[in-house]
Amino acid sequence: MPHFSSDGVDIAYLDQGAGEPVLLIHGFASTKEINWVGPSWTKTLTEAGYRVIAFDHRGHGESEKLYDPALYDTRVMAEDAHRLLRHLGLDRADVIGYSMGARVAAQMALHFPHAVRSAIFGGLGIHLVEGAGLPQTVADALEAPSLDDVTDPMGRMFRAFADANKADLRALAACIRGSRQVLSREEVGRIFQPVMVAIGTRDAVAGAAAPLVALLPDGTQLDIPNRDHNPAVGDKVFKQGALDFLKSRP
């Protein structure tokens, strides 16, 4: 698996296929393999003729583990994404982010606008503006001695997921505490690229899609039927909607 240095932080990535580049940005406590390879996103996109690039966020997967919450600012993680494109000699790419990855994609579209041809915000709606990410109780759950010590339902879900994937719990707790940036309505209004907001109709984490779409200059909405936050990632409606969006954008 190739790696590169993003301002001194070691970042693992994959680069598959040929054609127009699509950058995939995974969600909290996930990895490029869990979020994108396992649910067949990489297969779907490469077979459709795209070059697929994905990376493990700092603190996740095969990338370097850091323990200072300030190092997980979503604006810093957007710089990781931008530096990866530059490392590969790419001026711009279509960007698909999920959940926390959509927060990073939004920061990338705002701060590196000419590097983002279009964006898909999966699993993130108006909470990009009105919510600060997962609750702090998730960080507490990750730092608990064991899963048996966690009573908060959402905390238990993420702790069990992290344990199953042998993740670095201390790094993930730092990430929760550091990646809580929101965008203002004015900032969302400056995201000029085509953006699709794709959310499961049972998603209780993302916030509603329609209010965010209304703030975007060129926003569209995709409802993923009967899916809550995590299962929506691999849904065939989401994949087909993404392919249709990529074909239709300028």
Side-chain angles (χ1 to χ4, degrees), residues 70-80 100 103-105 107-108 111 178-183:
L71 298 176
Y72 291 96
D73 189 303
T74 51
R75 291 165 292 194
V76 174
M77 291 195 280
E79 290 178 358
D80 291 339
M100 183 184 77
R103 289 185 184 275
V104 174
Q107 296 283 10
M108 189 179 179
H111 295 289
S179 61
R180 306 184 67 76
Q181 295 72 39
V182 295
L183 298 188

Side-chain angles (χ1 to χ4, degrees), residues 45-166:
L45 290 166
T46 55
E47 288 182 351
Y50 294 97
R51 177 181 176 182
V52 178
I53 301 152
F55 66 100
D56 286 335
H57 285 299
R58 48 181 60 208
H60 295 69
E62 298 177 69
S63 290
E64 185 174 348
K65 309 305 184 290
L66 308 168
Y67 305 105
D68 178 354
L71 298 176
Y72 291 96
D73 189 303
T74 51
R75 291 165 292 194
V76 174
M77 291 195 280
E79 290 178 358
D80 291 339
H82 184 231
R83 289 190 184 107
L84 175 55
L85 293 184
R86 293 175 61 188
H87 171 74
L88 296 172
L90 296 170
D91 292 327
R92 66 175 184 167
D94 295 289
V95 179
I96 304 176
Y98 198 82
S99 195
M100 183 184 77
R103 289 185 184 275
V104 174
Q107 296 283 10
M108 189 179 179
L110 181 65
H111 295 289
F112 306 103
H114 299 294
V116 178
R117 182 173 183 176
S118 71
I120 297 175
F121 299 164
L124 182 65
I126 196 58
H127 284 177
L128 174 63
V129 175
E130 297 178 352
L134 294 168
Q136 296 277 14
T137 52
V138 174
D140 297 335
L142 292 165
E143 293 175 329
S146 73
L147 179 62
D148 293 337
D149 298 292
V150 181
T151 57
D152 173 69
M154 186 175 291
R156 282 187 63 85
M157 178 182 73
F158 277 99
R159 175 58 184 265
F161 182 71
D163 283 348
N165 293 301
K166 297 180 172 58

Side-chain angles (χ1 to χ4, degrees), residues 212-230:
L212 180 62
V213 171
L215 296 175
L216 290 160
D218 189 2
T220 58
Q221 179 174 338
L222 175 68
D223 294 328
I224 307 170
N226 301 315
R227 295 291 195 183
D228 61 24
H229 192 68
N230 289 341

Side-chain angles (χ1 to χ4, degrees), residues 160-240:
F161 182 71
D163 283 348
N165 293 301
K166 297 180 172 58
D168 186 317
L169 301 178
R170 191 157 65 96
L172 292 184
C175 181
I176 281 282
R177 294 194 168 100
S179 61
R180 306 184 67 76
Q181 295 72 39
V182 295
L183 298 188
S184 68
R185 284 169 168 76
E186 185 273 333
E187 286 174 322
V188 173
R190 296 200 332 249
I191 297 176
F192 63 82
Q193 303 92 333
V195 176
M196 182 172 77
V197 180
I199 299 174
T201 58
R202 296 180 178 176
D203 191 329
V205 174
L212 180 62
V213 171
L215 296 175
L216 290 160
D218 189 2
T220 58
Q221 179 174 338
L222 175 68
D223 294 328
I224 307 170
N226 301 315
R227 295 291 195 183
D228 61 24
H229 192 68
N230 289 341
V233 175
D235 192 274
K236 63 182 181 181
V237 172
F238 186 15
K239 294 194 194 81
Q240 187 58 55

